[in-house]
């Protein structure tokens, strides 16, 4: 095998006969069989050199296996080739090329960077409905912002909240509360506030007033709406709920509302407890906002009639209960919202309270 010199081999060219090409192929095959096995090659690569010297034919420039290593060739054969997605018939018609893996990675990085900054900041809220003579105002900008962050996205865009009922401004009456929560009544009040703007406006106004004689719940809002109920008790605790529908009389025992509703409360706490005894907060009291979302365990979300209003119920215990007089109420832990007792209570099972203030705010426009 070592008796021939590299000069004995003729370089490969296009003018070679088929017989000479076959001799070269047979020669390369015989030389590859003389190479050590894969296992011994791997072992010698790590610890020692290959004992059998390479043949002069493998070093010849005319050999087809020039500068080749069998172990590297076998390892490269195990690496799967990069698969390129074939374009579909529809892609070929519109002239769209199949995306390469690099294009996909670029697009995914761009989409992730754009998606992180997709939502713009919300505009400041404007609270409308308080009179200049109103002394006790339950809703401020901070509380409204905390509630707003938990509303459905379509309602977070509304930057004006309208107060539809106030215990101080509108009187203590459950029927008055239901009437002011009715979108029909709200639309009538909106028209009354507007000044006469000519004949066309008077025609529209008469059409709206005439529509008030229809059924109680005939109004269909063109835009999404929600209602925020706020209560202040005798201990100045602030709590309430968000409702996706307006409160109304349901004589038949039937619950309404959906999973967007939730209970919430403003809880007094000592910052020193959370700051691990830091004396900087000693003697200070702070308020934190807590919300209790719908759990999906049952559908007992809203029930209201001429005698009471209840939000959430399980085993006969309501998360928030308001009686007919709008003066007494009680709060239990219920499975509907998985809530804590909303007011500051002494009893561990429930919390009774007396209503000192009550407000209902509409989120969203009427038309």
């Amino acid at each position: 095998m070592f008796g021939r010199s590299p000069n004995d081999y003729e370089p490969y060219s296009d003018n070679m006969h088929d017989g000479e090409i076959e001799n070269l192929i047979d020669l390369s095959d015989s030389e590859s069989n003389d190479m050590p096995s894969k296992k011994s090659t791997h072992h010698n690569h790590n610890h020692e050199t290959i004992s059998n010297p390479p043949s002069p034919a493998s070093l010849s420039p005319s050999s087809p296996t020039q500068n080749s290593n069998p172990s590297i060739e076998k390892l490269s054969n195990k690496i799967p080739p990069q698969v390129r997605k074939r374009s579909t018939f529809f892609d070929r018609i519109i002239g769209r090329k199949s995306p390469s893996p690099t294009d996909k990675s670029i697009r995914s990085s761009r989409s992730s960077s754009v998606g992180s900054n997709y939502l713009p900041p919300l505009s400041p809220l404007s609270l409308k409905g308080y009179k200049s003579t109103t002394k006790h105002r339950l809703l401020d900008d901070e509380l409204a912002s905390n509630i707003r962050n938990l509303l459905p996205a379509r309602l977070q865009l509304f930057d004006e909240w309208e107060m539809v009922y106030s215990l101080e401004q509108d009187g203590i009456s459950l029927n008055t509360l239901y009437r002011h929560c009715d979108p029909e009544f709200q639309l009538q009040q909106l028209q009354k506030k507007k000044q006469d703007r000519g004949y066309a406006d008077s025609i529209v106004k008469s059409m709206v007033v005439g529509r008030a004689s229809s059924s109680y719940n005939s109004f269909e809002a063109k835009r999404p709406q929600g209602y925020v109920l706020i209560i202040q008790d005798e201990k100045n605790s602030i709590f309430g709920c968000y409702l996706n529908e307006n409160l109304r009389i349901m004589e038949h025992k039937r619950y309404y509302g959906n999973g967007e509703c939730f209970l919430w409360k403003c809880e007094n706490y000592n910052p020193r407890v959370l700051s691990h005894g830091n004396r900087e907060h000693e003697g200070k009291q702070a308020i934190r906002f807590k919300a209790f979302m719908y759990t999906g365990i049952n559908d007992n979300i809203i029930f209201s009639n001429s005698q009471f209003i209840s939000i959430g119920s399980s085993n006969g215990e309501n998360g928030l209960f308001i009686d007919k007089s709008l003066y007494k109420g009680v709060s239990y832990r219920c499975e509907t919202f998985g809530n804590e007792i909303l007011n500051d209570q002494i009893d561990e099972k429930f919390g009774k309270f007396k209503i000192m203030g009550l407000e209902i705010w509409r989120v969203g426009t009427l038309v």
Side-chain angles (χ1 to χ4, degrees):
M1 180 177 181
F2 298 97
R4 303 178 65 180
S5 63
N7 297 327
D8 295 336
Y9 298 98
E10 295 181 0
Y12 175 77
S13 63
D14 295 338
N15 297 326
M16 295 180 65
H17 298 287
D18 295 339
E20 295 176 348
I21 296 175
E22 293 176 357
N23 293 334
L24 288 177
I25 295 175
D26 296 337
L27 180 61
S28 62
D29 292 338
S30 62
E31 291 172 352
S32 62
N33 293 332
D34 295 335
M35 296 297 293
S37 62
K38 177 182 179 181
K39 181 176 181 181
S40 61
T41 304
H42 177 71
H43 175 76
N44 295 330
H45 178 73
N46 293 332
H47 301 282
E48 60 185 17
T49 58
I50 300 174
S51 58
N52 296 329
S55 62
S58 63
L59 301 177
S60 175
S62 60
S63 174
T65 58
Q66 180 181 356
N67 298 331
S68 61
N69 193 335
S71 61
I72 297 177
E73 292 178 356
K74 293 181 180 180
L75 182 61
S76 62
N77 291 334
K78 293 183 178 181
I79 301 176
Q82 191 174 13
V83 179
R84 183 181 178 89
K85 184 180 178 182
R86 297 181 61 185
S87 59
T88 61
F89 176 74
F90 180 74
D91 294 336
R92 291 194 296 270
I93 292 177
I94 63 176
R96 182 171 60 187
K97 298 181 180 179
S98 58
S100 62
T102 56
D103 296 336
K104 292 182 180 179
S105 61
I106 294 173
R107 281 203 303 268
S108 62
S109 61
R110 289 179 179 176
S111 61
S112 60
S113 61
V114 174
S116 59
N117 300 323
Y118 178 73
L119 293 177
L122 296 174
S123 57
L125 273 177
S126 175
L127 306 177
K128 296 184 177 181
Y130 283 124
K131 297 180 180 179
S132 59
T133 57
T134 303
K135 297 180 179 180
H136 302 91
R137 302 187 178 190
L138 307 184
L139 185 62
D140 55 15
D141 294 336
E142 182 180 0
L143 177 58
S145 178
N146 289 329
I147 298 174
R148 184 188 191 185
N149 292 334
L150 298 176
L151 298 182
R154 65 183 184 278
L155 292 176
Q156 292 184 11
L157 300 177
F158 292 101
D159 54 3
E160 290 186 1
W161 289 14
E162 184 78 20
M163 186 171 64
V164 297
Y165 176 78
S166 170
L167 200 68
E168 180 178 349
Q169 296 181 183
D170 301 314
I172 305 174
S173 173
L174 184 59
N175 291 330
T176 303
L177 184 150
Y178 287 140
R179 183 172 66 253
H180 283 221
C181 290
D182 180 16
E184 281 279 3
F185 179 81
Q186 298 173 28
L187 190 59
Q188 294 178 25
Q189 296 299 312
L190 180 63
Q191 295 296 330
K192 288 180 181 180
K193 291 180 182 179
K194 293 182 179 180
Q195 299 178 354
D196 295 337
R197 298 178 181 178
Y199 178 75
D201 184 75
S202 63
I203 294 296
V204 174
K205 183 176 179 180
S206 63
M207 293 173 62
V208 172
V209 174
R211 195 172 55 176
S213 60
S214 59
S215 60
Y216 185 76
N217 296 321
S218 62
F219 179 82
E220 294 183 1
K222 295 182 179 180
R223 294 190 178 183
Q225 296 179 358
Y227 292 85
V228 178
L229 187 147
I230 308 173
I231 295 176
Q232 183 182 35
D233 65 1
E234 75 278 11
K235 297 180 181 179
N236 292 327
S237 298
I238 303 293
F239 51 92
C241 60
Y242 166 75
L243 309 174
N244 73 301
E245 298 184 35
N246 63 292
L247 291 171
R248 54 187 181 269
I249 297 177
M250 302 290 291
E251 294 298 344
H252 301 286
K253 190 174 181 179
R254 184 174 67 85
Y255 289 90
Y256 58 98
N258 61 18
E260 297 175 350
C261 303
F262 59 87
L263 296 174
W264 59 267
K265 71 174 183 178
C266 296
E267 181 182 62
N268 295 320
Y269 75 101
N270 187 359
R272 185 180 178 184
V273 177
L274 300 180
S275 59
H276 305 286
N278 189 356
R279 293 188 176 182
E280 181 181 354
H281 304 283
E282 187 173 1
K284 296 182 180 179
Q285 288 291 329
I287 299 176
R288 59 183 174 186
F289 178 82
K290 280 187 175 182
F292 309 97
M293 312 305 290
Y294 175 65
T295 61
I297 295 179
N298 58 49
D299 296 331
N300 305 334
I301 300 177
I302 309 173
F303 181 73
S304 56
N305 56 19
S306 58
Q307 301 298 319
F308 62 86
I309 298 172
S310 68
I311 311 297
S313 178
S314 61
N315 301 322
E317 299 175 349
N318 303 111
L320 178 61
F321 178 89
I322 304 172
D323 72 346
K324 179 181 178 180
S325 63
L326 299 183
Y327 180 64
K328 295 180 180 181
V330 65
S331 176
Y332 287 87
R333 297 180 178 89
C334 71
E335 296 179 351
T336 309
F337 298 101
N339 61 287
E340 302 173 1
I341 297 175
L342 300 182
N343 62 309
D344 294 336
Q345 82 290 352
I346 300 177
D347 196 313
E348 297 181 354
K349 295 182 179 179
F350 61 92
K352 290 184 178 181
F353 57 87
K354 295 180 181 179
I355 299 175
M356 297 291 104
L358 190 151
E359 295 175 359
I360 298 179
W361 294 77
R362 186 191 71 242
V363 182
T365 58
L366 293 172
V367 291

